[in-house]
Amino acid sequence: METIFTQLSEEQLTTLMRKAVRAEIQNETKAEPPQEFIRGIISLAKFLKVSAPRAQQLKNSGVFPYWQSGRTVLFDPAKVREAMQNVKTGKVRK
């Protein structure tokens, strides 16, 4: 591997660094903000547009992953959507 040295003035280096930082900031602002977790069975039922007992059945059957801390149950909306799509197409993974 060949090593190449380039001399930059302080002004050139500063300009180069500013451009790199601006480009990175623009990349971050273009990314979608993370979606909040669905908290609880009632919120899950509203998200899925089903009854609370049906949402509880889906959770208990292992259709989609969830996390529980104490009495609070959390669901990732993206994973719930993916799991429900799999249910509709018959590709349920347990």
Side-chain angles (χ1 to χ4, degrees), residues 42-57:
I42 293 172
S43 295
L44 176 65
K46 288 178 184 177
F47 181 80
L48 295 173
K49 297 180 178 134
V50 298
S51 67
R54 178 65 179 142
Q56 183 71 47
Q57 287 174 342

Side-chain angles (χ1 to χ4, degrees), residues 1-3 7 18 22 26 29-33 36 48-52 56 59-60 63 68 71 76 81 83 86:
M1 177 183 238
E2 183 180 343
T3 304
Q7 286 187 325
R18 283 185 180 149
R22 280 190 197 117
Q26 287 176 349
T29 57
K30 288 179 186 175
E32 289 185 26
E36 297 269 333
L48 295 173
K49 297 180 178 134
V50 298
S51 67
Q56 183 71 47
K59 174 201 156 277
N60 291 345
V63 171
Q68 190 161 356
R71 293 184 62 168
D76 183 340
R81 278 190 204 95
N86 289 340

